[in-house]
Amino acid sequence: MSEQKRPSGMRAFWIIWAGQVISLLGTSMTNFGLTIWAYEQTGEATSLALIGFFFVTPMVILSPTAGAIVDRSNRKLMMMVSDLAAGLTTILQLALLVTGNLEIWHLYITAAVAGTFQTFQWPAFSAAMTLMLPKEQYGRANGLLELANAASGIFAPLLAGALLGIIGLAGLMVIDIVTFSLAIGALLFVFIPQPERSEAGRKAEANLWQESLYGFRHIIQRPSLLGLQLVFMGGNLFATLGFTLMAPMILARTGNNELIFGSVNSAGAIGGVVGGLAMSAWGGPKRRVLGVLGGWLLFGLLGETLLGLGQSLPIWLVASFAGAFFGPIINASNQAIWQAKVEPDVQGRVFGVRRMIAWAISPLARLMAGPLADKVFEPAMQTGGSMASTFGWLVGTGDGAGMSLILVLCGLAVALLAFVGYAVRVVRDAEDILPDFDGVPEYSAVPAAT
């Protein structure tokens, strides 16, 4: 089939999206099975944490370089290479498993390989979407991607749990191999255009190292994009810091009641799916910056703060649902702004830097959360503790109260960030100040400076 006859535009996006949904489901099922296998082999949570560490670390370190390579290459090819590499790691794991040679350290290596190639997937797909779709569809399309991620979090564990006893871990891996083959087939079937050269693209041309750093310069030179990224960095910091403590906080306040904890997690998963559905149907507010700032505000107050204030299951269910519901709205609205404002031929470099910054803040928050809770807030919120008389009326005292207080403070900090972002003109009016990459501002009237 010639390129001209292949599906393009929104039809091509739907085909790619369907392939990625199926592939994501298969990969998540394999990861579920491997998690159980790894814990059975070692009996240690550290082994599971290390698998995640080896997967994420290449994504943090290599994202700027991966973005530069994406801009130099064919976006469709980069997506196919990423899917193929993920599939090959599963094939290797399967071969080791059926021959009885699979060991835990093999998972560290395959996780690092998969993380390395996954680094190319997101900037390549994001940049491809920019060229495939009209900008009015960016919010809806990104909502569909958020929906795919949230849905896999619900259905993959259910399917894997039901099938694991029937077909075993090897069977789950075979399903994964079939699903990644379908994802690659979907990419082969569609047409994805390459971007035209822009002035920004010509200025960015240099050696690979210099092009890897271009994303930083691009963002810093545009105060509106920098302001949005700083809001996102702060939001990610306080959101991760707080929600890292959700599990121990609930378990501490319920006497390790696993049913309550599982119910709260399920409410969050459902909230993510509903938020993704809402965003894909609605497309987000016309002024997408309101989806970002308003979403962060409501996430902070109705999600994180309410979760900390709650001391019973009904409130935790509402807060978990709300926090996850606003996530797709925030992410899809923000992504739509960047897709509209950054020239397509440099989006790989810019989006790679964005991802590096976003992922780098998460490990820092996770490292801070435990000591902050265990050494400072939990002792201070015990009966007679240094903070108990001041904040006990708000979150109670005793086990879990210190972590609840951290959640409340982090939620309020997120809400404050949203207010500050709206108060700063270069952030609030980012869509007016920055022209779309085609040179046509999304809104004609630019308000006066305040």
Side-chain angles (χ1 to χ4, degrees), residues 7 53 110 148 165 184 248 258 293 349 365 370 394 418 425 444:
F53 172 81
T110 53
I184 293 176
E258 296 177 359
L293 299 178
R349 280 161 277 197
L394 188 65
R425 178 179 177 267
S444 57

Side-chain angles (χ1 to χ4, degrees), residues 152 435 440:
S152 69
V440 180

Side-chain angles (χ1 to χ4, degrees), residues 164-189:
L164 198 56
I166 302 173
I167 61 177
L169 178 56
L172 295 182
M173 289 181 172
V174 171
I175 293 175
D176 190 10
I177 293 167
V178 173
T179 59
F180 97 76
S181 301
L182 292 173
I184 293 176
L187 286 167
L188 284 170
F189 186 64

Side-chain angles (χ1 to χ4, degrees), residues 3-226:
E3 288 293 329
Q4 290 78 11
K5 295 181 179 179
R6 295 180 188 275
S8 60
M10 196 66 189
R11 185 183 173 198
F13 171 80
W14 276 110
I15 293 172
I16 296 172
W17 181 81
Q20 293 297 317
V21 167
I22 295 170
S23 179
L24 184 61
L25 183 63
T27 300
S28 298
M29 289 171 62
T30 293
N31 289 340
F32 181 88
L34 282 172
T35 298
I36 295 175
W37 179 89
Y39 192 74
E40 288 175 346
Q41 298 299 309
T42 65
E44 297 177 351
T46 300
S47 300
L48 305 183
L50 284 174
I51 294 172
F53 172 81
F54 281 108
F55 181 77
V56 170
T57 299
M59 299 176 72
V60 173
I61 296 173
L62 299 177
S63 280
T65 302
I69 294 173
V70 165
D71 282 339
R72 288 181 167 201
S73 309
N74 183 290
R75 275 80 190 276
K76 177 176 172 178
L77 177 61
M78 287 290 99
M79 294 168 64
M80 292 173 62
V81 168
S82 179
D83 283 338
L84 180 61
L88 290 176
T89 60
T90 302
I91 292 173
L92 177 60
Q93 291 168 347
L94 176 61
L96 291 168
L97 178 67
V98 298
T99 58
N101 294 314
L102 184 63
E103 298 183 21
I104 192 69
W105 64 268
H106 292 138
L107 300 186
Y108 302 155
I109 296 175
T110 53
V113 172
T116 297
F117 283 94
Q118 181 63 28
T119 307
F120 296 89
Q121 175 78 10
W122 183 74
F125 194 12
S126 298
M129 284 172 54
T130 303
L131 298 169
M132 294 167 63
L133 305 175
K135 59 188 175 184
E136 294 80 11
Q137 297 294 331
Y138 291 166
R140 183 171 287 110
N142 285 299
L144 285 167
L145 297 181
E146 295 289 328
L147 171 62
N149 288 320
S152 69
I154 294 179
F155 296 112
L158 294 175
L159 289 173
L163 293 173
L164 198 56
I166 302 173
I167 61 177
L169 178 56
L172 295 182
M173 289 181 172
V174 171
I175 293 175
D176 190 10
I177 293 167
V178 173
T179 59
F180 97 76
S181 301
L182 292 173
I184 293 176
L187 286 167
L188 284 170
F189 186 64
V190 302
F191 170 67
I192 299 177
Q194 283 294 103
E196 297 179 1
R197 294 275 299 282
S198 69
E199 182 63 28
R202 283 188 286 270
K203 290 180 179 179
E205 288 179 352
N207 60 50
L208 184 60
W209 169 249
Q210 291 172 321
E211 289 188 11
S212 300
L213 298 177
Y214 172 79
F216 292 100
R217 298 200 308 272
H218 188 98
I219 294 171
I220 291 171
Q221 291 170 359
R222 291 158 178 79
S224 291
L225 293 183
L226 178 60

Side-chain angles (χ1 to χ4, degrees), residues 295-316:
W296 274 121
L297 174 67
L298 294 173
F299 168 88
L301 296 179
L302 300 181
E304 209 165 4
T305 298
L306 185 61
L307 190 67
L309 291 174
Q311 299 182 48
S312 62
L313 178 60
I315 296 177
W316 288 333

